């Protein structure tokens, strides 16, 4: 377990008020609900969604815990999470031997899509055109359609795609 993940085990979700540039933080301890936060995203439903070991938790922006959706693989780490443009929450989950992209619909239904061997997503981005992009080690960009079709693009430059972002023109950067 690396230092960053060890630190995340002891972490709480914190809200930093955008209007207070002095750095005031309000911690919301979610560990008491069995959630060890790794990543979070703001959903289109107005909730914050928190990726954890074997679960995706939901909370209000006031810090009220609203429950968690258990994933079928309790020991696996949810490595990334993003709010899809389809209104669903998408997450990447991996263990030593398998990786998956999961989707939680607005009504709480969970679907998972097994990824090809060697595909371990490090980051996710909600794309236009009905896809979620996944950045992998080895200069590979994965695509998962909203219907679950999996494909990939491999680039010649050998880098690990650890972060994805869109600019105001809709261009995907990594």
């Amino acid at each position: 377990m690396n230092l960053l993940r060890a630190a995340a085990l002891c972490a709480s979700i914190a809200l930093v008020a955008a209007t207070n540039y002095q750095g005031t933080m309000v911690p919301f301890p979610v560990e008491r609900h069995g959630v060890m936060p790794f990543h979070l995203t703001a959903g289109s439903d107005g909730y914050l969604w928190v990726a954890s070991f074997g679960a995706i938790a939901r909370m209000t922006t006031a810090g009220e815990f609203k429950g968690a959706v258990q994933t079928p693989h309790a020991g696996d780490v949810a490595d990334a999470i993003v709010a899809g443009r389809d209104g669903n929450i998408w997450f990447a989950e991996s263990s030593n031997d398998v990786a998956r992209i999961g989707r939680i619909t607005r009504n709480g239904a969970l679907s998972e899509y097994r990824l090809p061997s060697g595909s371990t997503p490090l980051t996710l981005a909600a794309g236009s055109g009905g896809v979620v992009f996944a950045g992998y080690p080895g200069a590979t960009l994965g695509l998962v359609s909203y219907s679950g079709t999996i494909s990939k693009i491999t680039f010649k430059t050998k880098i690990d795609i650890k972060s994805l972002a869109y600019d105001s023109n809709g261009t995907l950067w990594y």
Side-chain angles (χ1 to χ4, degrees):
M1 181 180 300
N2 65 32
L3 220 46
L4 182 60
R5 290 207 173 173
L9 292 175
C10 302
S12 294
I13 302 300
L15 170 67
V16 178
T19 57
N20 186 346
Y21 297 107
Q22 300 300 313
T24 302
M25 270 192 327
V26 179
F28 298 107
V30 293
E31 295 91 351
R32 68 175 172 237
H33 301 289
V35 176
M36 295 178 209
F38 282 98
H39 304 277
L40 71 123
T41 192
S44 63
D45 57 2
Y47 290 102
L48 297 175
W49 291 82
V50 183
S52 179
F53 276 114
I56 306 297
R58 187 173 64 136
M59 64 185 280
T60 69
T61 55
E64 183 183 351
F65 181 76
K66 290 294 193 178
V69 176
Q70 300 299 313
T71 62
H73 313 281
D76 290 359
V77 175
D79 297 308
I81 190 167
V82 68
R85 294 183 183 188
D86 60 350
N88 297 318
I89 299 298
W90 291 81
F91 62 95
E93 181 180 51
S94 64
S95 65
N96 290 337
D97 60 341
V98 68
R100 298 168 218 71
I101 297 288
R103 176 185 67 207
I104 301 172
T105 64
R106 289 178 182 223
N107 65 3
L110 183 132
S111 301
E112 289 190 319
Y113 308 100
R114 188 176 178 143
L115 298 174
S117 178
S119 302
T120 304
L122 303 173
T123 184
L124 296 175
S128 60
V131 298
V132 172
F133 290 102
Y136 302 141
T140 301
L141 184 64
L143 295 89
V144 179
S145 73
Y146 289 164
S147 64
T149 302
I150 297 168
S151 58
K152 67 180 180 176
I153 302 167
T154 302
F155 301 102
K156 292 180 182 178
T157 305
K158 297 298 179 193
I159 60 166
D160 293 342
I161 300 176
K162 297 180 180 178
S163 185
L164 296 167
Y166 279 94
D167 67 16
S168 60
N169 296 321
T171 302
L172 181 66
W173 291 81
Y174 65 92

